[in-house]
Amino acid sequence: MLEYDRISGLIPTGVWIDGRSEPATTTFEVRNPATGELLTEVADGTAADALRALDSACRVQSAWAATAPRERSAILRRAWEILIDRTEEIALLMTLEMGKTLAEARGEVAYGGEFLRWFSEEAVRIGGRYTDSPAGTGRILVTQRPVGPVLAITPWNFPLAMGSRKIGPALAAGCTVIVKPAEDTPLTMLALAQIFAEAGLPEGVLSVIPGSDASAITAPLLADPRLRKVTFTGSTRVGKLLLKQAADTVLRTSMELGGNAPFIVFEDADLEQALAGAMAAKMRNGGEACTAANRIYVHNSIREEFASRLAEKIGALRVGPGHEPGVDTGPLINERQRNSVAALVEDAVAAGAVVRTGGKAIDGPGWFFQPTVLDEVPRTARMHREEIFGPVAAIYGFDSEEDVVAAANDTEYGLAAYFYTRDLDRALRVSSALEAGMVGVNRGVISDPAAPFGGVKQSGLGSEGGSEGIHEYLDTKYVALTR
Ligand code: ADP
């Protein structure tokens, strides 16, 4: 029996509109990247489906916005409880459709679920402002209103959390939401829609339209003036396309785009801590994270030791299907992604990088790549500028703080940055100098539902999570009153 058969009863496979799964007319395949096995076929959503979802969203938008914040909060809280009760099933589902290990998938249920709990708590704390005007002639009343129907486009690397991080605040704010999940991993969002229905979310407030042709679903929505917001997590390339389309209807936008995170180990770092941090920042999710340490800069006085110890740790990782016991790291999402990692490694090696461990794709079935450490990577290698998105640690040497900070900032991206030092002055100086939306100081994992996640430069616009996250889904309204 396929592992998937154990959980298939919890996962709708049609387009999800008006609180139910509609039988599909045409379908596309979802396969396990670790084995190539077919998991199931999913409805191939169309433009007509997308517009019907928008009709539903518009029909219920004002009623949802008028629902008591306490009631919206209670629904989010119930959805969190059901999700956590189903941790094992949803974790297995993510492992099967995306490839991450079960341990990481369980972690994602906890992390992704937390956005529902956090925003259930924020739903009842949407503030406003009231003041007398300075001239004494009027009063100023400021309120926060839900933006309106939202389109959420999500990627495959965190099939649950990248959706819940948008759905949680949008529902808390009083917005309706249409989700277009990634074609490689549509099932987790469909399972979440089912959970929301069980939690009592009114019909029409949340739709999920899976599909093999993303823009066939999203373009008609973006062109429709009834849609009021697009929130996207994915590549900078697609983000730019969406921003151009959003211009035509002056849509509110939130963009979580690519990264090229520097991870700097200064000569005074605690080496044990830095190695543990590098393992987390590089190998979490098999390196398929926009916050992944893409460029590991190590001071030349400790580089040799750091590189050999990191190679020992990374070389010892057991690669295999994520649901098998004892596996530390799973496959890449698909053939295209594995080939892209292989090409970046080949390019770096041709430029002079030294392979400390790994370096090659592993024969199938499944899209595996050996966990890899490259040392002495020249800064001219493509991977110095481009996101690797795979289990490849690239180590660069440096001699001075000034040089490494300049190198770290020499990128169009600005999502996450990490560094290790025991010098407090340096910690403050470097964290302020790094051009990044998020900085980890002596920490390799920075994501936290209570903190604002977001990038600067071409890594994006806006923040998700924290008390900031809900404002992405609220418009400010000023009412002028006479005295
Ligand atoms: P990746 O390269 O990591 O797959 P993408 O940016 O291509 O990331 O995909 C992220 C999300 O954007 C997915 O849901 C995908 O279907 C969607 N997407 C891809 N291309 C487009 C497009 N042209 N218009 C709208 N959505 C798109």
Side-chain angles (χ1 to χ4, degrees), residues 153-156 180-183 214-215 218 232-235 238 241-242 336:
I153 306 173
T154 59
W156 48 263
K180 206 304 284 173
E183 51 275 32
S215 57
T218 60
F232 172 71
T233 300
S235 61
V238 173
L241 285 174
L242 296 171
R336 183 167 53 92

Side-chain angles (χ1 to χ4, degrees), residues 333-348:
I333 186 70
N334 54 34
E335 184 176 19
R336 183 167 53 92
Q337 194 57 36
R338 189 185 63 176
N339 292 349
S340 144
V341 172
L344 285 172
V345 170
E346 262 172 49
D347 168 82

Side-chain angles (χ1 to χ4, degrees), residues 293-313:
N294 209 57
R295 297 169 288 159
I296 302 177
Y297 296 104
V298 185
H299 192 269
N300 276 325
S301 63
I302 52 170
R303 204 197 72 242
E304 175 59 39
E305 185 187 354
F306 185 92
S308 64
R309 290 180 62 189
L310 188 66
E312 214 172 284
K313 284 178 185 286

Side-chain angles (χ1 to χ4, degrees), residues 94-118:
M94 281 197 279
T95 293
L96 293 176
E97 72 171 344
M98 184 275 167
K100 68 183 70 194
T101 61
L102 266 182
E104 289 203 84
R106 289 187 189 108
E108 184 174 346
V109 175
Y111 169 66
E114 205 51 41
F115 288 101
L116 306 184
R117 178 161 69 161
W118 175 265

